């Protein structure tokens, strides 16, 4: 009987301290997230420790031919099954079991927070990109949004005319390079290096299945810090996959702010030598402008949209039809959850942060005199 009692006691001796260590590390890491100055994080984490983390991840998980997220989900399912088994097979009264379960969960969450911040999350507190680039951001008026929408449309007409085989039908996967991920990575690395940012490792943007796994929750992609990979919903229209992949790569290179990653996607595609990539990235930005303009002048937007070349209209129609094939599941819940997550990371405007790209692009173009 003494030997039987010693086994669960030994197991508890191993797991309880580990849980306490995880909880302590999680609290300390979060305190650092709140207290460390932006300049310190920029210099010593984003341009220091994270550079090593990025390379370590990319030359381990990054070489997998499939998203490491699949392995992570499998590991979580294993832990859940193991926990249920131990709960049912364990000895002691319900109070002891609940206490042990609570300690385990607190430790698990602590380790999760600690690794989230260590592997990527501190990048939310780095210096804003506009400060590093010397950009002055100002909200756009309705008239400025309208003018930007017209200007981008003019650029789209020119770019689409340069795409081999592009006619009045919507573009398809055949219009984009097979090594899209490599091309986008090289373009983004070049832009970051030219502006004094490190671009370490081999950031990935992998397609994830089943199709619609993100789209049904009003999302298109995901950067998963615990595996260090960007993911793009395979159900996206090929035109949209370009901008989303470039956006997730921006996260992978150490930028947490959503508007900043939208901006990185724009400048990555803006400078692309491939006209299809340049077109797709700028069409994604045009859709953001159009969505904002549509809110204040629905009739004006519709009139302008109908004046666009048939090929561009076909692309917009194809994107919309594809999105409609994956209706949202619990859109309000997703909005509340992700909005709360972004605010917890210090992004005060929450999900509206995505639209910060409008101010960034405008300021960048003015600085470049474009």
């Amino acid at each position: 009987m003494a030997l039987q009692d010693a086994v669960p006691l030994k197991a508890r001796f191993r797991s309880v301290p580990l849980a306490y260590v995880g909880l302590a590390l999680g609290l300390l890491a979060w305190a650092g997230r709140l207290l460390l100055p932006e300049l310190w994080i920029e210099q010593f984490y984003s341009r220091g420790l994270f550079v090593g983390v990025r390379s370590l991840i990319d030359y381990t998980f990054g070489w997998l031919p499939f998203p490491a997220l699949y392995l992570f989900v499998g590991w979580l399912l294993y832990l859940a099954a193991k926990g249920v088994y131990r709960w049912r097979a364990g000895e002691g009264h319900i109070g002891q079991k609940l206490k042990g379960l609570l300690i385990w969960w607190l430790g698990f969450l602590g380790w999760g927070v600690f690794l989230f911040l260590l592997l990527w999350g501190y990048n939310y507190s780095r210096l804003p990109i506009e400060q590093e680039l010397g950009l002055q951001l100002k909200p756009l008026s309705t008239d400025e949004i309208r003018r930007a929408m017209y200007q981008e449309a003019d650029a789209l007409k020119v770019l689409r005319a340069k795409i081999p085989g592009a006619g009045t039908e919507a573009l398809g996967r055949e219009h984009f390079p097979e090594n899209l991920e490599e091309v986008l990575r090289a373009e983004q690395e070049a832009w970051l290096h030219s502006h004094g940012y490190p671009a370490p490792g081999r950031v990935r943007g992998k397609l994830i299945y089943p199709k619609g796994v993100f789209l049904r929750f009003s999302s298109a992609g995901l950067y998963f810090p615990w595996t260090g990979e960007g993911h793009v919903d395979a159900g996206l229209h090929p035109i949209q996959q370009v901008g989303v992949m470039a956006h997730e790569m921006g996260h992978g290179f150490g930028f947490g702010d959503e508007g900043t990653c939208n901006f990185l996607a724009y400048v990555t595609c803006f400078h692309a030598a491939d006209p299809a990539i340049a077109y797709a990235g700028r069409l994604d930005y045009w859709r953001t402008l159009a969505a904002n303009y549509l809110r204040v002048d629905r009739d004006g937007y519709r009139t302008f949209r109908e004046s666009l070349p048939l090929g561009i209209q076909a692309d917009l129609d194809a994107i919309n039809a594809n999105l409609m094939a994956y209706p949202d599941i619990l859109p309000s819940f997703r909005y509340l959850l992700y909005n709360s997550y972004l605010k917890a990371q210090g992004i005060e405007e929450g999900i509206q942060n995505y639209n910060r790209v409008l101010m960034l692009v405008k300021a960048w173009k003015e600085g470049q005199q474009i």
Side-chain angles (χ1 to χ4, degrees):
M1 187 66 179
L3 181 61
Q4 292 176 344
D5 291 340
V7 174
L9 181 62
K10 184 177 180 181
R12 288 197 296 270
F13 181 77
R14 288 197 307 264
S15 62
V16 170
L18 191 62
Y20 288 146
V21 169
L23 181 59
L25 288 175
L27 291 173
L28 286 172
W30 189 254
R33 164 74 175 78
L34 297 175
L35 299 176
L36 292 174
E38 291 179 339
L39 181 60
W40 193 96
I41 289 178
E42 181 72 35
Q43 291 180 342
F44 297 105
Y45 178 78
S46 298
R47 296 174 182 264
L49 178 61
F50 179 71
V51 172
V53 169
R54 177 76 271 157
S55 298
L56 177 64
I57 290 174
D58 290 338
Y59 294 107
T60 51
F61 290 124
W63 288 111
L64 291 174
F66 55 86
L69 178 60
Y70 295 155
L71 298 178
F72 189 88
V73 172
W75 176 68
L76 289 181
L77 293 175
Y78 165 75
L79 287 182
K82 185 177 180 181
V84 170
Y85 172 78
R86 285 188 171 182
W87 174 274
R88 298 181 64 179
E91 299 177 358
H93 57 74
I94 188 67
Q96 290 176 319
K97 288 185 176 182
L98 289 175
K99 180 181 178 181
L101 182 63
L102 177 62
I103 292 173
W104 187 90
W105 269 111
L106 289 175
F108 181 81
L109 291 174
W111 279 109
V113 169
F114 171 70
L115 291 174
F116 167 78
L117 292 170
L118 178 68
L119 297 176
W120 181 75
Y122 280 119
N123 286 311
Y124 275 112
S125 296
R126 72 184 306 176
L127 291 173
I129 195 170
E130 62 267 24
Q131 183 174 331
E132 293 285 87
L133 299 181
L135 304 178
Q136 298 294 322
L137 302 191
K138 298 178 182 178
L140 277 68
S141 66
T142 299
D143 189 55
E144 287 175 320
I145 292 175
R146 179 182 59 80
R147 289 202 304 269
M149 185 177 70
Y150 283 22
Q151 291 168 358
E152 285 295 319
D154 289 339
L156 291 173
K157 296 172 188 177
V158 174
L159 287 169
R160 201 177 193 281
K162 295 180 180 179
I163 300 173
T168 58
E169 301 295 323
L171 299 181
R173 194 172 304 279
E174 67 276 8
H175 293 97
F176 298 93
E178 293 184 4
N179 61 337
L180 176 64
E181 183 186 11
E182 295 176 11
V183 173
L184 288 175
R185 185 192 305 120
E187 293 285 357
Q188 194 161 122
E189 285 177 348
W191 190 90
L192 289 170
H193 283 310
S194 68
H195 289 79
Y197 281 104
R202 182 174 169 268
V203 172
R204 300 301 307 271
K206 297 179 179 178
L207 294 181
I208 193 164
Y209 294 86
K211 292 182 177 181
V213 66
F214 295 150
L215 288 171
R216 292 190 182 279
F217 293 93
S218 303
S219 185
L222 170 73
Y223 180 79
F224 197 65
W226 292 279
T227 61
E229 293 180 338
H231 306 85
V232 179
D233 195 314
L236 277 172
H237 192 281
I239 297 175
Q240 280 192 292
Q241 287 183 9
V242 175
V244 173
M245 188 175 292
H247 173 102
E248 300 306 332
M249 285 183 174
H251 283 311
F253 280 122
F255 297 88
D257 184 90
E258 300 295 345
T260 296
C261 289
N262 278 346
F263 171 69
L264 289 174
Y266 179 83
V267 294
T268 295
C269 297
F270 185 94
H271 292 289
D274 189 307
I277 291 177
Y279 171 81
R282 297 187 71 168
L283 183 65
D284 188 58
Y285 177 64
W286 185 91
R287 292 179 70 245
T288 301
L289 288 166
N292 280 269
Y293 187 67
L294 178 63
R295 297 190 187 104
V296 295
D297 188 359
R298 183 174 295 272
D299 292 336
Y301 165 75
R302 287 177 176 172
T303 299
F304 178 68
R305 189 188 190 282
E306 292 171 358
S307 72
L308 293 171
L310 293 179
I312 297 179
Q313 291 192 52
D315 291 334
L316 294 172
D317 291 340
I319 289 172
N320 291 335
N322 186 72
L323 292 174
M324 292 296 291
Y326 301 98
D328 288 349
I329 298 175
L330 301 174
S332 298
F333 176 74
R334 182 264 175 188
Y335 181 92
L336 177 63
L337 183 65
Y338 195 53
N339 194 56
S340 300
Y341 163 77
L342 290 176
K343 289 185 176 182
Q345 304 309 318
I347 299 177
E348 295 180 359
E349 64 269 34
I351 209 164
Q352 294 302 317
N353 178 259
Y354 280 88
N355 284 338
R356 208 169 74 91
V357 65
L358 302 182
M359 295 187 290
L360 283 165
V361 169
K362 180 177 183 293
W364 176 74
K365 282 189 170 184
E366 290 174 347
Q368 299 290 315
Q369 297 182 344
I370 298 175

